[in-house]
Amino acid sequence: MADNSKSQSDGIITIIVLGASGDLAKKKTYPALFGLYRMGYLPERTHIVGYARSKLELGDFRGRISSYMKTPTEDAKEKLGEFKQLCTYVSGPYDKVEGYQRLDAAISEVERNVKGSKNRVFYMALPPSVFVPVARGVERNAYSKSGFNRLIVEKPFGRDLESSRQLHLALAPLWKEDEIYRIDHYLGKEMVKNLLTIRFANVFFGAVWNRQCISNVQITFKEKIGTEGRGGYFDEFGIIRDVMQNHILQILSIVAMQRPVSLDAEDVRDEKVRVLRSIPPVKVEETLLGQYTRSEDNSKPGYLEDSTVPPGSNCPTFAAAVLWINNERWEGVPFILKCGKALNEQKTEIRIQFQDVPGNVFRGAPRNELVIRVQPNEAMYMKFVNKQPGLSMDTVISELDLTYKRRFSDLKIPDAYEALILDVLKGDHSNFVRNDELDAAWKIFTPLLHAIENENLAPVSYPYGSRGPAGVHEFVAKYGYKRTEDYVWSE
């Protein structure tokens, strides 16, 4: 392996994947670990131990975890063979001490002949119902006494403010805050990580990033797929808990935060917490909820037609909400958050629309917009008004375009999980959610979530594959967004 000081550590690092036989581990965790191995970013002495309830032979387990790994070249296939030799598996229950004791014995066997520190990273690729017993089990029975211990926790971090605090109170006696890495994979996406650079390394953005120049900000998350048989799980949480309270709010916090004192993890997270605390709870009257029905061509079923969804569920699969930030920089600027499933396209983007030009002599000229495409096809472009070439003074909307696949065609954009797991190995908390940050986020959305459930708020129906519920364009326009007609950005 490459000598990579960014992730090297004295001794050995053992990565323990808890829930190793599940979908998350198979589709995300192990492929990300393999990606780091291929690129030489795993420390030289790394071993990976899977733990789950499923009774699997080692060969079957290795075949299962490699099913989602891409090996386009012979070299990649050879690397995969090497990587699988680093992976072992232990089966055991999540609620019995003897299972964790077997796990500890398996890890100790790997570490037996290693001099130096014996470091352990526990990745909980698990449903939230077992977070606490598993965190307790590994802390009491498999905690390293001669190296660092780190615990990666996947969302959801509770269902509301109270349950989030209960989860924290249950974990706090077992794990120190600096040992816990609450993972929101959107914080590992290239364009989200780039937001700090865009904002604070460019003087011209610093000059206009305020209420005097910006009219409104939209952050949009769209998925083409519906629940596809996973409606029972989704119905427990809904689109606000699943996407808006975490992924989209994390993006908002970086877009809106003040300049941190430094790029140190705690300085960055301090500023994110500060801006979240400036946001009052979302009002019911400033939201639009939707739930998808059968597609117009009858090819896709509606949400309530999913056999795993409780009959008559009012769980929203689409939500639009307006957040306000009560500070000097953003007072009066609406932050419009939109997310939904079973829509017309898949994309996540940030759209910052600037104010009209005061006293503009070019009547009817559209507004400037900065658009940051998070996924797919990472890009950033600025819509601006240009004179149309020719003898007239007619204007045309054009763009200053930074499309990554053209500008950085020779570079690979890492997977979000690759980036975040590497951060854990380095001990960098910058792109992980701190407990007080989580608390502030839940305060914003908990009253709305309780209102949806207790007042049985009915979502507006929209067909599978559409742009969302009727009224979404009017909702956005009500908060100041002006759409540019007849303009299409060329991806």
Side-chain angles (χ1 to χ4, degrees):
M1 295 298 296
D3 179 15
N4 205 309
S5 60
K6 287 176 283 188
S7 58
Q8 277 289 12
S9 173
D10 293 334
I12 185 172
I13 290 182
T14 307
I15 300 170
I16 301 96
V17 181
L18 302 150
S21 64
D23 269 4
L24 177 62
K26 177 178 69 174
K27 295 177 180 177
K28 297 294 184 182
T29 313
Y30 277 97
L33 290 168
F34 174 56
L36 291 174
Y37 180 82
R38 275 187 65 191
M39 293 183 288
Y41 278 89
L42 284 187
E44 187 173 347
R45 286 179 296 237
T46 297
H47 199 83
I48 303 165
V49 178
Y51 182 82
R53 289 178 293 206
S54 305
K55 291 181 169 28
L56 295 171
E57 295 296 326
L58 182 57
D60 294 336
F61 173 72
R62 286 174 173 170
R64 178 179 177 84
I65 62 172
S66 61
S67 60
Y68 278 79
M69 296 177 189
K70 296 176 183 177
T71 53
T73 64
E74 287 302 316
D75 177 66
K77 291 174 184 174
E78 183 179 333
K79 289 288 187 186
L80 178 57
E82 296 172 6
F83 175 77
K84 288 196 287 188
Q85 295 306 306
L86 302 178
C87 301
T88 55
Y89 181 75
V90 179
S91 66
Y94 295 137
D95 57 352
K96 290 186 172 58
V97 170
E98 54 265 30
Y100 298 108
Q101 291 173 340
R102 283 202 306 276
L103 174 61
D104 183 60
I107 302 169
S108 298
E109 178 62 25
V110 171
E111 299 170 338
R112 186 160 52 93
N113 296 319
V114 176
K115 295 180 181 179
S117 57
K118 298 173 174 62
N119 307 295
R120 298 181 181 183
V121 174
F122 298 91
Y123 192 122
M124 295 209 296
L126 294 163
S129 57
V130 295
F131 280 177
V132 174
V134 171
R136 182 183 300 115
V138 295
E139 191 274 337
R140 291 180 177 175
N141 301 283
Y143 193 89
S144 175
K145 305 297 191 296
S146 60
F148 65 68
N149 292 270
R150 293 169 184 164
L151 182 72
I152 303 175
V153 184
E154 280 274 359
K155 76 172 187 71
F157 315 116
R159 288 178 48 82
D160 54 17
L161 180 61
E162 182 181 357
S163 59
S164 174
R165 286 177 171 175
Q166 288 173 349
L167 178 60
H168 172 66
L169 289 173
L171 290 177
L174 305 170
W175 295 83
K176 297 188 287 288
E177 179 65 23
D178 64 2
E179 293 178 322
I180 299 173
Y181 292 75
R182 298 174 189 86
I183 194 168
D184 182 329
H185 74 273
Y186 259 65
L187 289 174
K189 289 190 177 292
E190 182 66 26
M191 295 307 291
V192 177
K193 295 181 81 170
N194 193 27
L195 283 170
L196 285 177
T197 309
I198 293 169
R199 287 202 53 200
F200 301 122
N202 296 289
V203 66
F204 56 92
F205 281 139
V208 299
W209 215 266
N210 52 55
R211 61 189 174 89
Q212 284 78 26
C213 297
I214 292 175
S215 167
N216 57 83
V217 178
Q218 279 191 77
I219 306 173
T220 303
F221 173 102
K222 300 173 79 171
E223 280 189 325
K224 292 180 71 172
I225 60 171
T227 52
E228 318 298 347
R230 296 182 68 249
Y233 170 80
F234 179 84
D235 203 79
E236 291 183 45
F237 298 98
I239 197 69
I240 295 174
R241 290 186 180 95
D242 193 44
V243 176
M244 187 177 284
Q245 183 272 341
N246 41 77
H247 299 333
I248 300 185
L249 195 63
Q250 284 296 323
I251 294 174
L252 179 149
S253 68
I254 303 172
V255 169
M257 65 186 276
Q258 296 290 90
R259 183 190 303 275
V261 174
S262 75
L263 293 179
D264 177 78
E266 298 314 307
D267 288 337
V268 172
R269 298 200 293 181
D270 284 347
E271 293 304 332
K272 290 171 67 181
V273 171
R274 188 170 288 115
V275 77
L276 291 176
R277 285 177 173 166
S278 300
I279 302 174
V282 181
K283 297 177 182 177
V284 172
E285 58 270 25
E286 294 189 325
T287 61
L288 174 64
L289 306 176
Q291 185 184 90
Y292 70 86
T293 57
R294 178 172 284 271
S295 61
E296 292 180 345
D297 64 2
N298 290 319
S299 63
K300 296 288 187 179
Y303 180 69
L304 296 179
E305 296 175 82
D306 184 331
S307 61
T308 64
V309 172
S313 169
N314 73 328
C315 176
T317 61
F318 175 96
V322 177
L323 274 61
W324 305 91
I325 302 175
N326 294 332
N327 64 19
E328 184 179 7
R329 181 184 293 271
W330 296 114
E331 185 79 38
V333 176
F335 282 72
I336 306 162
L337 313 186
K338 299 185 298 180
C339 54
K341 301 181 79 69
L343 297 172
N344 61 319
E345 61 181 329
Q346 177 187 345
K347 74 173 181 181
T348 303
E349 70 176 20
I350 307 158
R351 190 172 289 268
I352 298 164
Q353 187 170 83
F354 292 87
Q355 302 275 9
D356 291 317
V357 176
N360 196 346
V361 296
F362 293 95
R363 297 295 179 191
R367 288 173 167 176
N368 298 135
E369 282 185 30
L370 174 65
V371 182
I372 301 169
R373 173 70 72 95
V374 175
Q375 68 169 20
N377 302 324
E378 293 88 347
M380 178 171 63
Y381 61 96
M382 173 70 85
K383 292 165 59 175
F384 76 107
V385 180
N386 188 46
K387 175 186 174 296
Q388 184 165 295
L391 298 176
S392 74
M393 287 298 290
D394 293 340
T395 60
V396 62
I397 192 77
S398 188
E399 69 277 322
L400 300 172
D401 188 353
L402 170 59
T403 298
Y404 272 48
K405 65 185 178 183
R406 292 195 289 266
R407 178 63 179 83
F408 303 113
S409 59
D410 57 334
L411 296 177
K412 176 188 179 293
I413 295 177
D415 174 78
Y417 278 92
E418 292 174 358
L420 292 174
I421 291 173
L422 182 59
D423 284 344
V424 175
L425 297 179
K426 294 189 293 185
D428 183 355
H429 278 88
S430 300
N431 297 304
F432 295 87
V433 183
R434 202 167 65 188
N435 181 60
D436 56 348
E437 184 180 347
L438 188 61
D439 207 66
W442 277 120
K443 285 180 180 177
I444 295 167
F445 285 100
T446 292
L448 172 64
L449 292 167
H450 287 178
I452 292 170
E453 292 161 354
N454 298 335
E455 300 172 25
N456 200 29
L457 299 179
V460 180
S461 62
Y462 63 95
Y464 194 122
S466 67
R467 297 179 65 93
V472 67
H473 294 319
E474 292 79 5
F475 179 87
V476 172
K478 181 170 69 173
Y479 294 99
Y481 180 71
K482 294 184 179 180
R483 186 173 303 279
T484 305
E485 302 297 339
D486 303 321
Y487 170 81
V488 178
W489 174 62
S490 178
E491 296 186 31

